[in-house]
Amino acid sequence: MEVYTFEKSFLERLKEAEAVLSWDGAVMPASQVRSEWKSFVELQIEPAGWQAIWKIPRVICEDLKLRYPTIVYGYVEQVIFDELKAVFVVTAVQDNDVHLPESNEVSLIELWPTIKQENEALNVDTTAECIDRLRFFYCHVWMPWDKDYDDDRDWVQMHLQARIQLACDLSKNKLSRPLALHMRTLLMEAKYIQQRLEYLELDLSDAEVESDDEAVELNDNAAEPARKQPKPGSANGSLNVSTLPVTDLMCLHLRMAIIRSEFEILENPEMRRAYSELQSNSLKRHLLQRSVGRLTELPLTERTPICHVVTVPGKLQQQMDLLTLAKEQVKPDTQVQLANTLQDVLSICRSDDDILLSPGEHTIKFLEHLNNNGSLKGLVKSEAILVAEPQLPNLPVVCSSDEESTLLVIDGNYTLSHLVLDCRHVRRGILLRSGTLTVRGCRLLGDGNASTQEGIVCMPNASVEMRGCIIENFAVGISMRPRSSAELGNVQVKSCNTGVELLDKTVSLNLQGSKCSFDNCKIGIMADNLALPGKDDKVLVLRQYSELKRYNDNNWLGNCNFMDCTKNVRVFNKSDQLLAQHSQQRLLDDELEGENKENIDTA
């Protein structure tokens, strides 16, 4: 099964959005923008009966404890034009463990119409293109806070051209790399907060309606009133509101207001230029301060790699002991720079520099990539990292602020060693875009609750080599995309929903030395899109990795142990996939399209 996809230039899409918002009135408030889209959608979209794939939003996957992204197949029973939504009836799921209400009210931009339709008389081509236009506008032009604008303000005059210019600048990499990534991070967080707010507020309103209905029934013995379409989330269409305090809504609204105020400043091209110049001047001042006392200072691109030693405040003897450890790892002729914080170092270092971290917590808000054979190493023995109950205050811990989406992004050869990567406040620990990542003696910690959190995501043509590491408490420990590769030696994957997922038969996996283990995982290894000759089963459950290797013995090597896993190996039959492979990959890549996306060339 395939879905409609449209290859258009960014400029073409933006002109289409402008055409929909052509307006003869003197002022177009934000509320009228939505009305214009309603009118356009009513003329373009079939009102009912067409088949589609529903890509379930992250916020729903989190509440239902589903893997993200999760897709289901069904048909549109009714389009709700006034709300740009549809009543979607689920008829097939990829995973039988996914349990949803049969009928769900979903946003149109979450639907991907399929090319094959039961009713060929329907004009689904036009329907799919209309939804594609709508999805582009609400993803790239419209902001979550726009709906709160006053009706006496002209939204088109104030924002449309500026947003179009910003979208073009981001797509063509005209902004500085840190600024572009910062703005994309703000946008992704704002859109997620919007989904979460809508979900929680609908819960509260549903609970109030149900409470009123129950009171009427008790007092008047009235017939049960008709209920609204249930929201996906639980069997009765509502979450337990007692677990969703009003303070959560207040915190989300506050964070949205902060993002809005910052983004509206950066939306102005002149302010963006000033922001970039301020960053550049700050870097120059930092380099100048470092060069005090020297006669010359080589440009950053011309000097040889140096080693940065980052320490947290401590007693003199502790600092001397750390420098003694550092001396063992640094070559005698290497230039060394002492630093106060990891964030400062990441802001001014070259990608091929080495960084040594003292024990302690090192919080970063890093908006760059790591590559070019650089390294990040902890000044501690690996045995202290890998003990059953590690003492985090005594270890080098790298963590991020809770609004970040990814802790570290790697786009070239890089080494991490003797570190704790605290991923409890991020959606993803490491995004490996390209190159080879070497990880030795490290521990990756997830929060143990989110069903969407990933430890390492290995993109096509990237590779990861891990030795003596622990990955624990993630929804997915390691996600291997098509044509990626991994070599794991003495790696423990513990307490994950899925330890390692192999999303295509082109993935290479070598579990070296038979010392890799999967402990207390719901699924140890999950293999997707695998041809199973002579097998009609939708899902195949195996006991040993050696049984899985028989289906792909060229790419999957080595051995491992499973301990207390609910299912050791789970295989999804290629012949029973909801989506064709390239359509499936399109939806997977769509999740990362706006996140940490930028020009790989050096800025």
Side-chain angles (χ1 to χ4, degrees):
M1 187 183 303
E2 297 184 13
V3 296
Y4 282 91
T5 56
F6 298 91
E7 300 297 332
K8 300 179 183 177
S9 70
F10 214 84
L11 190 58
E12 286 177 320
R13 291 180 177 276
L14 291 169
K15 287 181 178 179
E16 290 174 348
E18 283 186 296
V20 174
L21 297 178
S22 57
W23 173 248
D24 297 331
V27 174
M28 180 182 284
S31 58
Q32 185 62 35
V33 171
R34 190 172 182 85
S35 297
E36 291 299 302
W37 274 106
K38 292 176 189 175
S39 301
F40 179 75
V41 167
E42 285 179 336
L43 296 174
Q44 301 291 321
I45 289 184
E46 292 285 355
W50 40 277
Q51 281 72 41
I53 291 291
W54 177 31
K55 183 181 177 183
I56 302 177
R58 178 183 291 276
V59 63
I60 297 179
C61 288
E62 289 176 347
D63 283 330
L64 293 179
K65 304 298 181 184
L66 299 177
R67 176 173 166 261
Y68 181 81
T70 290
I71 59 171
V72 295
Y73 173 74
Y75 67 91
V76 170
E77 187 176 61
Q78 175 190 356
V79 175
I80 308 172
F81 291 104
D82 287 343
E83 300 180 29
L84 299 179
K85 293 183 177 181
V87 177
F88 183 77
V89 179
V90 177
T91 59
V93 296
Q94 186 67 57
D95 188 345
N96 290 330
D97 290 341
V98 175
H99 302 289
L100 291 167
E102 181 182 2
S103 185
N104 302 272
E105 191 174 290
V106 307
S107 173
L108 283 173
I109 63 175
E110 297 165 10
L111 297 178
W112 300 73
T114 58
I115 294 176
K116 184 178 181 180
Q117 295 284 324
E118 293 180 4
N119 185 353
E120 296 181 356
L122 295 176
N123 188 1
V124 181
D125 292 3
T126 303
T127 296
E129 186 172 13
C130 177
I131 292 177
D132 188 69
R133 287 192 190 189
L134 185 70
R135 181 164 40 239
F136 177 84
F137 178 80
Y138 278 98
C139 288
H140 296 279
V141 181
W142 185 261
M143 299 299 164
W145 49 81
D146 284 341
K147 60 183 177 62
D148 299 325
Y149 270 94
D150 298 331
D151 281 348
D152 60 348
R153 302 173 68 183
D154 191 334
W155 183 90
V156 170
Q157 182 68 28
M158 293 181 64
H159 294 290
L160 185 59
Q161 289 298 325
R163 298 271 175 83
I164 288 175
Q165 183 62 54
L166 174 60
C168 284
D169 288 348
L170 285 171
S171 70
K172 296 178 181 178
N173 301 302
K174 290 185 176 180
L175 305 183
S176 66
R177 180 186 294 180
L179 176 59
L181 290 174
H182 178 56
M183 296 188 74
R184 288 192 180 101
T185 300
L186 289 178
L187 278 175
M188 290 193 64
E189 185 186 358
K191 293 179 187 301
Y192 175 78
I193 289 175
Q194 178 192 27
Q195 288 183 349
R196 174 59 65 183
L197 283 171
E198 292 174 352
Y199 201 70
L200 298 186
E201 288 168 351
L202 184 56
D203 266 327
L204 292 175
S205 63
D206 285 349
E208 291 174 0
V209 170
E210 290 181 8
S211 179
D212 292 342
D213 290 346
E214 290 172 1
V216 170
E217 185 174 351
L218 288 172
N219 293 335
D220 302 333
N221 197 25
E224 183 178 355
R227 295 187 182 274
K228 295 195 300 182
Q229 191 68 37
K231 171 177 67 65
S234 63
N236 60 9
S238 178
L239 294 172
N240 182 359
V241 180
S242 64
T243 64
L244 304 170
V246 178
T247 52
D248 286 357
L249 292 174
M250 295 173 60
C251 291
L252 290 172
H253 279 294
L254 177 60
R255 178 58 188 162
M256 181 72 88
I258 294 172
I259 294 174
R260 173 180 176 175
S261 62
E262 182 175 357
F263 198 88
E264 286 182 340
I265 294 174
L266 296 176
E267 186 178 317
N268 185 311
E270 295 300 323
M271 295 304 294
R272 288 202 297 273
R273 265 192 291 274
Y275 180 93
S276 295
E277 289 176 3
L278 184 64
Q279 280 190 322
S280 177
N281 291 336
S282 176
L283 174 60
K284 289 177 182 177
R285 283 197 302 271
H286 190 98
L287 292 174
L288 182 61
Q289 291 170 359
R290 287 173 48 190
S291 64
V292 172
R294 303 182 205 171
L295 295 177
T296 59
E297 175 75 9
L298 287 175
L300 195 64
T301 55
E302 296 180 9
R303 66 163 176 80
T304 58
I306 67 175
C307 178
H308 304 266
V309 180
V310 181
T311 63
V312 299
K315 294 181 180 180
L316 178 60
Q317 187 59 49
Q318 291 175 323
Q319 304 291 25
M320 294 177 65
D321 292 342
L322 287 173
L323 290 177
T324 300
L325 285 174
K327 183 178 179 181
E328 298 173 0
Q329 301 189 36
V330 179
K331 296 179 180 179
D333 57 346
T334 300
Q335 294 288 318
V336 175
Q337 174 72 45
L338 302 182
N340 292 327
T341 70
L342 176 58
Q343 181 61 52
D344 288 344
V345 171
L346 292 174
S347 299
I348 57 94
C349 73
R350 285 195 348 183
S351 58
D352 57 352
D353 285 347
D354 295 321
I355 305 172
L356 299 180
L357 294 184
S358 72
E361 186 175 278
H362 302 269
T363 302
I364 61 173
K365 186 179 177 66
F366 189 45
L367 301 175
E368 282 277 3
H369 287 182
L370 301 172
N371 51 31
N372 202 20
N373 294 307
S375 68
L376 185 60
K377 302 177 182 179
L379 290 171
V380 70
K381 301 295 183 182
S382 61
E383 292 80 5
I385 300 280
L386 304 178
V387 296
E389 296 183 4
Q391 301 298 313
L392 295 185
N394 300 326
L395 300 174
V397 178
V398 180
C399 58
S400 181
S401 54
D402 57 3
E403 67 267 19
E404 290 297 309
S405 56
T406 301
L407 181 60
L408 296 174
V409 181
I410 313 293
D411 71 347
N413 297 341
Y414 203 79
T415 299
L416 301 172
S417 58
H418 302 174
L419 298 169
V420 175
L421 302 182
D422 186 350
C423 311
R424 289 176 291 186
H425 298 301
V426 294
R427 296 177 183 171
R428 188 178 299 107
I430 299 173
L431 176 60
L432 179 54
R433 287 197 171 277
S434 61
T436 298
L437 172 64
T438 302
V439 187
R440 302 184 187 279
C442 290
R443 193 179 199 117
L444 278 72
L445 297 177
D447 71 359
N449 294 316
S451 64
T452 62
Q453 192 181 46
E454 300 164 309
I456 301 175
V457 176
C458 208
M459 297 299 286
N461 301 313
S463 63
V464 59
E465 298 177 2
M466 303 185 73
R467 300 285 186 278
C469 296
I470 294 177
I471 302 174
E472 59 184 331
N473 294 327
F474 289 94
V476 178
I478 305 176
S479 178
M480 305 296 298
R481 303 297 169 87
R483 302 182 307 284
S484 61
S485 63
E487 290 188 5
L488 310 181
N490 195 19
V491 173
Q492 301 176 57
V493 183
K494 303 166 64 174
S495 302
C496 295
N497 290 350
T498 300
V500 174
E501 63 176 12
L502 313 173
L503 296 180
D504 192 70
K505 65 181 181 180
T506 59
V507 171
S508 296
L509 176 64
N510 187 353
L511 304 180
Q512 297 179 338
S514 301
K515 291 185 178 181
C516 292
S517 65
F518 296 85
D519 305 345
N520 197 33
C521 296
K522 292 183 179 178
I523 300 173
I525 299 175
M526 190 275 287
D528 201 0
N529 199 36
L530 189 63
L532 301 176
K535 299 282 187 181
D536 296 328
D537 300 329
K538 183 175 183 178
V539 177
L540 183 64
V541 176
L542 305 174
R543 292 183 59 82
Q544 300 296 333
Y545 178 59
S546 57
E547 299 178 57
L548 176 65
K549 290 192 298 181
R550 290 202 295 263
Y551 295 102
N552 195 1
D553 55 4
N554 290 329
N555 287 345
W556 298 342
L557 307 172
N559 211 340
C560 63
N561 299 309
F562 299 96
M563 291 179 283
D564 298 323
C565 294
T566 305
K567 296 173 182 174
N568 293 348
V569 179
R570 194 177 194 193
V571 182
F572 287 94
N573 199 337
K574 181 178 181 179
S575 63
D576 203 30
Q577 296 287 300
L578 285 181
L579 276 178
Q581 182 178 351
H582 67 274
S583 293
Q584 176 94 2
Q585 191 61 39
R586 170 65 185 267
L587 295 189
L588 284 171
D589 292 342
D590 182 65
E591 160 65 8
L592 296 173
E593 182 178 349
E595 184 176 340
N596 300 300
K597 172 190 174 185
E598 47 102 322
N599 189 358
I600 297 301
D601 297 333
T602 303

